């Protein structure tokens, strides 16, 4: 009798959690509701639990994953045992506890992360959209020259090893402290004022095999980066994950916020990777204009060859991890689609929109009209028009 009452209580709790999950899922279709959750509940949760788990010298997210895997194995073992011995009461109790645990987590994750994916777009002072009518060819050339010059200058201002890879003069904790200072430039109320410290994943080989460079875990308020991330993109990866903690969950927007912060940094070790990240976007702005091939070739040749070498080193490093890269991309793709990001893993980049006019320029290339530049190009144009590229 007691076991039946206990099972009934658990069933009531489970049904309540399921009802809450369904309610949150339905509410997540409303942008206004999502904006409310992102700027209130999610922000407060990440602040509280980010400070709690921030005390730990290791990643709580990594520990959570290990614990979840162990518990899943234990669950399967007991499931087989109870089925074999026909201990139906214990089986039902265990299944109810497992379901309660899962739906408790789903509710927390939906309220702290999933709903934030559908909040309002980035504020105009951070990111605006432009067409070719908003930018002259001379301005496009100037933007490209600025980015290339700054990439070359920051490369020269940073130390590199004999293979051409950047060598940071500070440790990871110092990087996290510097990143907190850089993020103070985001004074728009759209962003949370709380900036967590980063964590490095210890099981870096597994993460690298899955080709995952960073993960933000909203329930713990943690910005995690791959332990192998000790290259030119380390500050950019950390800034990207921190952007998620500030209330920016869409991947391409987190990239935009990361570059917005780092491109304005006075520290070459922080800005170098961001400039390298933006090189192709800056060059491609020029290529979208007619009769630009000669200028494009000159600009491309202007980039320090050592930068190209370092980019190849980065690609070569991760190419050695190839056993589970397809699995990593598959899982990430499924996760993002579940967060109502239809492009899945392709949502890290926001492509531009162009119209072929049907004409060709003097180089024999199609003449296009840019209806909207790509996400990163729009950021560069925004910074340029605000006088923040110098």
């Amino acid at each position: 009798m007691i076991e039946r009452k206990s099972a009934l209580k658990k069933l009531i709790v489970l049904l309540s959690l399921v009802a809450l999950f369904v309610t949150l899922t339905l509410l997540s279709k409303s942008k206004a509701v999502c904006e409310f959750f992102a700027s209130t509940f999610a922000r407060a949760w990440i602040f509280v639990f980010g400070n709690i788990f921030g005390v730990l010298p290791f990643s709580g997210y990594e520990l959570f994953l290990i614990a979840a895997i162990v518990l899943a194995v234990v669950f399967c073992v007991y499931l087989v045992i109870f089925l074999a011995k026909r201990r139906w009461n214990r089986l039902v109790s265990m299944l109810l506890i497992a379901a309660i645990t899962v739906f408790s987590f789903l509710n927390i994750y939906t309220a702290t992360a999933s709903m934030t994916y559908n909040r309002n777009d980035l504020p105009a002072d951070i990111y605006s959209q432009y067409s070719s009518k908003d930018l002259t060819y001379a301005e496009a050339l100037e933007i490209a020259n600025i980015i290339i010059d700054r990439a070359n200058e920051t490369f020269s201002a940073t130390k590199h090893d004999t293979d051409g890879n950047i060598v940071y003069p500070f440790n990871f904790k110092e990087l996290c402290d510097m990143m907190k200072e850089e993020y103070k430039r985001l004074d728009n109320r759209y962003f949370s004022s709380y900036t967590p410290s980063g964590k490095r994943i210890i099981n870096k080989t597994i993460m690298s095999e899955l080709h995952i460079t960073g993960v933000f875990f909203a329930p713990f308020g943690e910005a995690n980066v791959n332990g192998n991330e000790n290259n030119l993109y380390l500050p950019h990866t950390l800034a990207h994950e921190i952007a998620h903690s500030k209330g920016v969950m869409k991947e391409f927007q987190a990239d935009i916020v990361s570059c917005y912060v780092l491109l304005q940094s006075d520290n070459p070790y922080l800005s170098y990777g961001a400039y390298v990240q933006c090189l192709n976007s800056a060059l491609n702005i020029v290529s979208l204009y007619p009769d630009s091939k000669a200028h494009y070739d000159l600009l491309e040749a202007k980039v320090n060859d050592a930068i190209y070498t370092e980019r190849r080193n980065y690609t070569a490093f991760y190419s050695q991890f190839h056993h589970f890269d397809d699995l990593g991309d598959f899982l990430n793709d499924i996760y993002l689609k579940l967060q109502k990001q239809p492009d899945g893993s392709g949502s890290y980049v926001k492509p531009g929109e162009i119209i072929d006019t049907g004409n060709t320029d003097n180089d024999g290339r199609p003449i296009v009209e840019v209806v909207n530049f790509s996400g990163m190009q729009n950021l560069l144009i925004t910074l340029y028009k605000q006088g923040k590229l110098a």
Side-chain angles (χ1 to χ4, degrees):
M1 187 69 177
I2 295 176
E3 289 182 348
R4 287 186 179 181
K5 286 184 177 180
S6 176
L8 181 59
K9 289 180 181 179
K10 291 172 185 173
L11 180 60
I12 292 173
V13 172
L14 175 60
L15 291 175
S16 299
L17 290 170
V18 171
L20 177 59
F21 177 69
V22 172
T23 301
L24 289 174
T25 301
L26 293 173
L27 288 173
S28 68
K29 296 180 180 180
S30 167
K31 190 173 287 289
V33 171
C34 289
E35 180 62 31
F36 173 77
F37 266 83
S39 58
T40 55
F41 180 82
R43 187 169 294 184
W45 181 285
I46 291 170
F47 171 79
V48 172
F49 285 88
N51 276 290
I52 292 174
F53 283 92
V55 175
L56 299 178
F58 54 84
S59 169
Y61 163 75
E62 186 173 16
L63 180 63
F64 171 82
L65 276 186
I66 294 172
I69 293 171
V70 172
L71 288 174
V73 172
V74 172
F75 172 82
C76 291
V77 171
Y78 274 96
L79 181 65
V80 172
I81 292 174
F82 290 155
L83 283 172
K85 295 185 176 181
R86 298 184 179 183
R87 295 183 178 177
W88 308 120
N89 289 335
R90 290 193 177 184
L91 177 63
V92 170
S93 178
M94 185 180 71
L95 289 173
L96 287 172
I97 291 173
I100 287 172
T101 302
V102 169
F103 275 96
S104 295
F105 172 78
L106 287 176
N107 283 325
I108 292 171
Y109 197 85
T110 300
T112 58
S114 298
M115 298 188 83
T116 306
Y117 277 94
N118 193 35
R119 70 178 304 195
N120 294 334
D121 292 333
L122 293 173
D125 61 332
I126 304 296
Y127 173 80
S128 297
Q129 297 187 22
Y130 298 94
S131 70
S132 53
K133 296 178 181 178
D134 302 313
L135 191 74
T136 67
Y137 182 49
E139 290 174 325
L141 287 172
E142 187 174 3
I143 290 174
N145 273 296
I146 290 172
I147 296 300
I148 292 170
D149 287 343
R150 290 295 294 147
N152 289 338
E153 289 167 7
T154 51
F155 173 83
S156 299
T158 51
K159 183 180 179 181
H160 292 71
D161 61 21
T162 54
D163 293 323
N165 299 316
I166 192 168
V167 178
Y168 294 103
F170 42 75
N171 59 36
F172 187 69
K173 182 184 181 304
E174 291 169 332
L175 171 61
C176 292
D177 291 340
M178 287 187 286
M179 200 64 72
K180 289 183 179 181
E181 291 299 314
E182 296 294 338
Y183 258 98
K184 287 182 180 180
R185 73 177 77 255
L186 286 185
D187 57 358
N188 192 296
R189 295 170 69 181
Y190 179 91
F191 304 100
S192 169
S193 59
Y194 171 65
T195 304
S197 291
K199 298 286 187 72
R200 302 194 85 158
I201 298 295
I202 297 174
N203 292 286
K204 57 186 180 182
T205 301
I206 297 175
M207 203 170 182
S208 296
E209 287 287 358
L210 293 170
H211 280 205
I212 298 174
T213 57
V215 175
F216 171 67
F217 193 54
F220 291 175
E222 282 187 340
N224 300 278
V225 297
N226 189 331
N228 273 326
E229 281 292 286
N230 189 26
N231 49 62
L232 75 163
Y233 295 130
L234 173 60
H236 173 73
T237 301
L238 178 58
H240 174 103
E241 301 309 329
I242 289 176
H244 289 319
S245 76
K246 309 290 279 188
V248 184
M249 288 304 293
K250 289 182 179 178
E251 298 298 344
F252 85 91
Q253 290 184 346
D255 252 8
I256 286 169
V257 171
S258 171
C259 285
Y260 176 87
V261 170
L262 296 182
L263 289 175
Q264 297 181 70
S265 174
D266 293 328
N267 188 325
Y269 284 93
L270 300 185
S271 61
Y272 170 60
Y275 279 110
V276 174
Q277 186 85 358
C278 294
L279 273 175
N280 287 345
S281 295
L283 284 166
N284 288 337
I285 292 178
V286 174
S287 71
L288 292 170
Y289 289 80
D291 302 322
S292 59
K293 186 177 184 304
H295 281 139
Y296 180 93
D297 291 343
L298 288 172
L299 288 166
E300 190 175 39
K302 187 180 176 182
V303 179
N304 190 326
D305 286 338
I307 293 175
Y308 291 130
T309 298
E310 189 163 10
R311 290 203 307 193
R312 286 193 295 269
N313 290 347
Y314 175 83
T315 302
F317 175 78
Y318 272 100
S319 66
Q320 68 181 307
F321 302 103
H322 54 79
H323 295 96
F324 303 107
D325 52 329
D326 289 339
L327 174 62
D329 184 67
F330 172 76
L331 294 175
N332 192 37
D333 186 69
I334 292 297
Y335 164 75
L336 290 170
K337 286 178 178 176
L338 288 174
Q339 307 309 316
K340 300 181 180 63
Q341 304 303 298
D343 294 330
S345 55
S347 63
Y348 283 83
V349 177
K350 184 176 177 60
E353 182 183 354
I354 61 175
I355 298 175
D356 190 340
T357 63
N359 300 315
T360 56
D361 62 12
N362 293 321
D363 299 317
R365 299 182 310 152
I367 297 177
V368 299
E369 178 185 346
V370 180
V371 178
N372 188 17
F373 287 99
S374 72
M376 196 58 68
Q377 289 170 344
N378 277 320
L379 170 66
L380 296 179
I381 297 169
T382 299
L383 290 171
Y384 172 77
K385 288 185 176 293
Q386 293 177 350
K388 293 178 180 177
L389 284 183

